[in-house]
């Protein structure tokens, strides 16, 4: 399958992420840009909540179920809103068509540039990712398709019999399962298409909405925000190639829209396109969507908007104090005063977040080097983006001269400070602040573009304004009546030339890290064998294998359950442990066949991959072991666990 062949599926993916939410955002009173940009937030929230409720009620997860829930939600909202439309606030004013067209133009250019990067890095939508976490994400989607259960509290069993349930943010996997149902494509192709669409559609829409809240209906600002949303390597490109962190990608892609909502709540938006009342209604929806996409994305949202929230609370307290309403003033001031002690109590004293806080990635550079990387956009030792870095600094200076925008600079500084702590400061105490992100410099660097995109847009506009004033202080340019669209085209071309197509090569290389061409996850012959396993095995049977040789992808390619569907072995069952060590001794070990027949483990897939003693049972069986080889591809061989067939027949 080529990317051109996948275009219809990509269009369907974009429709899945936006269209179901439009009736609800429209009924809420949002129009045009805000209506479209906030639709993915509503979609993610409603999809994930539906998955949780359906699992608790024993209802099978399906595309018709989700469509019915969206239709029912729209009908209920309409029944509430329409009779009360005269009493409710008027819909938020929609921007005029020239403003919408400018925003759409920037988004289209960003989509085109992003598509070129994706095509250069990922040869085919069906190309397999070679990272530690990819098998989990593939097989979580597959498990949803097999089991009909998509709850965030159940998916991490991955279909392994007897495995204890736990929490795992399932929004990305829920959407992936729906897209697979809608298109009929393979799980690996679905994963690639979904993640690329999130990066090139959902994220840019959120960036444009955030810029709209900052700059008002400024056509140049909105067009630039769309274009420059794909200019930073740290996000979205880094998370398309490192980890692989697809749930983080979804969560952080929703954060700009969440920041836009917070701006409305805080009264910091310019010509607010959401409205304060609607923002308070949207806030729990946005928090639900972002939290179930990935919990640390909510903390990212909190860190970025903390200065805005402090400003809003301080202003509210000051107004009430001057009006003589001191109890109310104290109520608004209390969160500012109590925030630090409450944080210490919850995070340090009670250890509520002890799980992620225990994870640690050691620093790999000095604090000054980490700070330099933040300032130059060279996080995690990538190449510096000097043009964008300079424009971010210009934008920060411009914002700092305007009191209403200083919070944006402070939010950017907080993100940068967290990165410096993770990358350059030794000691366990830093995890008090960085532990929400597992003290992972890649996750923390990905926060910087949330504020970096609007800062660089403001920086471009400041440079253009200064250039125009310097070149024509007497109004020459005004008398020449330079056509604004022509000026915008000149700016865009200059940016593309100065940054090498918005750092196309750097972005390609970041994504290529997960899709290596010289040493792919499996060879073409092995890939062909993996796809044949669906025909060689019966539904309901389990294929045993060891997880480090690429074989977990069998489950994603064929929807056949594998015994070890991921690389994280922290919660193996006793049955898994025993078979990993003794499966190929089935002819001489009765306990092996007891487990095999109870779990329906009928096949062994193995190759010559180096293994420790833990995996001796999944090595090539001896000729005398009684296993029957039924297929082969590359170094892999597929065997029937024949000795246990006899044991099953004798019972």
């Amino acid at each position: 399958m080529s990317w051109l062949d996948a275009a219809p599926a990509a269009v369907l993916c974009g429709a899945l992420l936006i269209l179901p939410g439009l009736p609800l955002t429209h009924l809420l009173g949002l129009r045009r840009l805000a209506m479209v940009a906030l639709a993915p937030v509503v979609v993610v929230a409603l999809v994930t909540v539906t998955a949780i409720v359906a699992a608790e009620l024993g209802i099978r997860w399906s595309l018709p179920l989700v469509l019915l829930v969206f239709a029912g939600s729209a009908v209920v909202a309409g029944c509430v809103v329409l009779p009360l439309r005269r009493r409710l606030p008027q819909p938020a004013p929609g921007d005029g068509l020239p403003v919408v067209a400018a925003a759409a133009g920037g988004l289209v250019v960003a989509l085109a540039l992003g598509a070129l990067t994706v095509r250069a890095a990922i040869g085919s939508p069906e190309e397999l990712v070679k990272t530690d976490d990819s098998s989990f994400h593939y097989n979580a989607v597959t498990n949803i398709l097999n089991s009909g259960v998509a709850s965030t509290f159940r998916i991490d069993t991955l279909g392994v019999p007897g495995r204890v349930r736990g929490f795992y943010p399932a929004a990305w996997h829920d959407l992936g399962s729906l897209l697979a149902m809608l298109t009929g494509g393979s799980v690996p192709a679905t994963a690639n298409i979904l993640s690329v669409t999130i990066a090139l559609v959902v994220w840019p829409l959120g960036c444009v909405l955030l810029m709209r809240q900052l700059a008002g209906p400024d056509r140049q600002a909105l067009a630039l925000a769309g274009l420059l949303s794909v200019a930073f390597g740290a996000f979205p490109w880094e998370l398309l190639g490192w980890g692989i962190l697809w749930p983080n990608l979804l969560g952080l892609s929703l954060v700009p829209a969440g920041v836009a909502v917070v701006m409305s709540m805080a009264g910091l938006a310019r010509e607010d396109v959401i409205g304060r009342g609607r923002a308070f209604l949207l806030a729990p929806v946005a928090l639900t969507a972002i939290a179930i996409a990935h919990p640390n994305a909510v903390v990212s949202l909190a860190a970025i908007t903390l200065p805005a929230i402090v400003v809003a609370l301080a202003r509210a307290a000051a107004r009430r104090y001057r009006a003589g309403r001191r109890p109310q003033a104290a109520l608004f001031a209390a969160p500012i005063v109590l925030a630090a002690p409450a944080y210490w109590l919850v995070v340090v004293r009670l250890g509520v977040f002890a799980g992620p806080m225990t994870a640690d990635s050691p620093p790999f550079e000095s604090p000054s080097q980490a700070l330099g990387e933040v300032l130059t956009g060279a996080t995690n030792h990538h190449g510096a983006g000097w043009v964008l870095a300079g424009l971010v600094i210009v934008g920060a200076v411009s914002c700092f001269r305007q009191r209403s925008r200083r919070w944006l600079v402070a939010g950017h500084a907080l993100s940068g400070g967290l990165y410096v702590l993770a990358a350059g400061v030794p000691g366990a105490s830093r995890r008090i602040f960085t532990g929400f992100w597992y003290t992972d410099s890649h996750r923390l660097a990905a926060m910087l573009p949330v504020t970096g995109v609007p800062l660089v847009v403001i920086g471009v506009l400041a440079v253009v304004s200064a250039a125009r004033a310097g070149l024509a202080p007497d109004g020459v340019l005004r008398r020449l009546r330079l056509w604004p669209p022509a000026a915008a085209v000149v700016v865009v071309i200059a940016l593309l030339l100065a940054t090498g197509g918005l750092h196309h090569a750097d972005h390609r290389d970041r994504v290529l890290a997960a899709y290596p061409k010289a040493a792919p996850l499996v060879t073409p012959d092995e890939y062909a064998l993996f796809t044949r396993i669906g025909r060689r095995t019966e539904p309901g049977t389990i294929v045993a294998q060891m997880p480090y040789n690429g074989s977990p992808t069998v489950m994603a390619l064929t929807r056949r359950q594998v015994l070890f569907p991921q690389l994280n072995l922290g919660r193996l069952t006793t049955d898994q442990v025993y078979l990993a060590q003794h499966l190929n001794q089935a002819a001489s070990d009765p306990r092996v066949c007891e487990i095999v027949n109870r779990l329906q483990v009928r096949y062994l897939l193995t190759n010559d991959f180096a293994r420790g003693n833990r995996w001796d049972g999944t090595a090539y069986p001896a000729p005398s072991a009684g296993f029957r080889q039924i297929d082969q591809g590359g170094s892999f061989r597929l065997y029937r666990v024949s000795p246990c067939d006899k044991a099953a027949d004798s019972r």
Side-chain angles (χ1 to χ4, degrees):
M1 176 190 288
S2 69
W3 279 105
L4 185 60
D5 296 330
V11 172
L12 286 174
C13 184
L16 174 67
L17 291 168
I18 295 173
L19 293 184
L22 291 180
L24 292 169
T25 53
H26 181 84
L27 286 167
L28 190 59
L30 301 173
R31 295 296 182 265
R32 294 188 177 173
L33 174 59
M35 179 179 74
V36 175
L38 285 165
V41 175
V42 174
V43 168
V44 173
L46 199 51
V47 163
T48 53
V49 170
T50 299
I52 294 170
V53 174
E56 296 303 316
L57 297 179
I59 302 172
R60 185 174 181 83
W61 180 249
S62 67
L63 189 60
L65 168 67
V66 174
L67 294 177
L68 181 63
V69 168
F70 273 98
S73 300
V75 169
V76 170
C79 291
V80 172
V81 170
L82 294 179
L84 299 174
R85 60 186 180 276
R86 293 184 179 179
R87 300 181 183 180
L88 295 174
Q90 291 297 310
D95 291 319
L97 288 178
V99 175
V100 174
L107 291 169
V108 169
V109 176
L111 178 62
L113 291 172
L116 291 175
T117 301
V118 169
R119 175 63 185 84
I122 309 174
S124 164
E126 294 181 310
E127 188 169 347
L128 297 175
V129 173
K130 188 180 181 180
T131 67
D132 289 350
D133 291 341
S134 59
S135 57
F136 175 90
H137 297 308
Y138 285 152
N139 292 333
V141 174
T142 307
N143 184 45
I144 293 173
L145 296 172
N146 288 345
S147 67
V149 176
S151 171
T152 195
F153 298 105
R154 302 193 186 188
I155 70 160
D156 77 334
T157 63
L158 300 184
V160 175
R163 179 165 174 169
V164 178
R165 297 172 183 169
F167 170 85
Y168 194 88
W172 182 90
H173 310 88
D174 294 347
L175 293 170
S177 67
L178 294 175
L179 182 61
M181 296 174 193
L182 185 62
T183 64
S186 69
V187 170
T190 296
N192 286 330
I193 292 168
L194 173 61
S195 299
V196 166
T197 306
I198 290 168
L200 300 184
V201 176
V202 176
W203 162 255
L205 276 171
C207 290
V208 172
L209 178 62
L210 175 55
M211 197 68 235
R212 172 61 181 80
Q213 294 288 78
L214 282 163
D218 185 316
R219 285 177 287 177
Q220 292 181 340
L222 298 185
L224 285 169
L227 170 66
L228 294 170
S229 64
V230 296
F232 288 85
F235 192 86
W237 304 111
E238 183 82 356
L239 296 197
L240 281 174
W242 191 89
I244 190 116
L245 303 178
W246 287 325
N248 273 94
L249 173 75
L250 175 59
L252 209 51
S253 292
L254 299 174
V255 166
V259 177
V261 170
V262 173
M263 287 183 66
S264 292
M265 296 169 63
L268 294 173
R270 179 179 175 185
E271 297 184 43
D272 193 354
V273 78
I274 297 174
R276 186 172 241 176
R278 294 180 193 87
F280 277 97
L281 291 175
L282 281 166
V285 177
L287 288 174
T288 300
I290 297 171
I292 304 183
H294 204 290
N296 66 33
V298 171
V299 188
S300 298
L301 174 64
I304 291 167
T305 58
L306 177 62
I309 295 170
V310 170
V311 167
L313 290 172
R315 286 180 177 179
R319 285 195 302 269
R320 284 158 179 79
Y321 185 85
R322 287 193 295 267
R325 293 178 287 175
R326 295 189 177 183
Q328 293 182 19
L331 187 64
F332 279 94
I336 301 174
V337 176
L338 298 176
Y343 186 92
W344 178 85
L345 177 65
V346 172
V347 175
V348 180
R349 186 71 177 175
L350 299 179
V352 172
F353 302 98
M357 293 283 175
T358 56
D360 191 16
S361 299
F364 51 86
E365 58 192 357
S366 68
S368 59
Q369 288 174 315
L371 178 59
E373 289 184 347
V374 170
L375 294 175
T376 60
T379 51
N380 294 296
H381 292 336
H382 286 284
W386 295 105
V387 174
L388 292 180
L391 290 170
V392 167
I393 293 173
V394 172
V397 172
S398 177
C399 285
F400 210 78
R401 295 172 63 183
Q402 305 172 51
R403 293 182 63 185
S404 62
R405 289 181 175 178
R406 288 178 182 173
W407 69 268
L408 184 66
V409 182
H412 192 72
L414 273 175
S415 298
L418 289 168
Y419 173 82
V420 171
L421 283 175
V425 177
S429 58
R430 65 194 176 127
R431 298 204 300 264
I432 297 171
F433 304 103
T434 61
F436 300 104
W437 300 269
Y438 308 99
T439 312
D440 175 15
S441 61
H442 296 269
R443 287 177 169 91
L444 289 162
M447 291 171 57
L448 288 165
V450 176
T451 47
V453 170
L455 284 174
V456 78
V457 170
I458 294 167
V460 170
L461 295 177
V463 169
V464 170
S465 177
R468 291 183 63 180
L471 289 172
D474 57 350
V476 173
L477 289 180
R478 185 172 61 253
R479 290 198 297 271
L480 290 176
R481 296 182 181 180
L482 183 64
W483 192 35
V489 171
V490 171
V491 171
V492 168
I493 293 174
L495 278 172
L496 293 176
L497 292 175
T499 60
L502 297 183
H503 304 294
H504 166 81
D506 174 71
H507 300 164
R508 177 203 62 208
D509 293 344
R510 290 178 190 247
V511 180
L512 271 172
Y515 300 86
K517 302 301 184 279
L521 183 64
V522 295
T523 67
D525 287 342
E526 292 166 348
Y527 187 98
L529 169 64
F530 287 5
T531 59
R532 291 197 302 272
I533 287 176
R535 301 192 300 272
R536 301 291 194 188
T537 61
E538 306 85 34
T541 57
I542 293 178
V543 179
Q545 31 66 257
M546 65 98 67
Y548 296 106
N549 56 8
S551 59
T553 54
V554 167
M555 183 170 168
L557 291 169
T558 66
R559 293 180 61 174
R560 291 290 186 264
Q561 182 68 46
V562 297
L563 188 60
F564 299 99
Q566 65 164 330
L567 272 65
N568 184 348
L569 306 177
R571 290 190 292 154
L572 291 179
T573 66
T574 55
D575 289 340
Q576 285 178 300
V577 172
Y578 196 82
L579 291 183
Q581 296 174 341
H582 304 286
L583 177 60
N584 55 13
Q585 302 167 24
S588 58
D589 187 339
R591 184 180 173 189
V592 170
C593 284
E594 185 276 322
I595 297 172
V596 162
N597 290 323
R598 175 160 46 82
L599 302 184
Q600 292 297 304
V601 180
R602 296 301 177 200
Y603 297 92
L604 168 64
L605 178 67
T606 188
N607 72 341
D608 55 3
F609 189 89
R611 64 197 73 218
N613 293 336
R614 170 182 250 179
W615 305 103
D616 284 348
T618 62
Y620 290 132
S624 60
F627 284 63
R628 179 168 58 90
Q629 182 178 330
I630 59 177
D631 206 341
Q632 181 174 350
S635 63
F636 277 92
R637 298 175 190 173
L638 179 67
Y639 295 91
R640 176 82 183 187
V641 188
S642 303
C644 295
D645 290 340
K646 299 174 184 177
D649 293 340
S650 65
R651 288 192 303 176

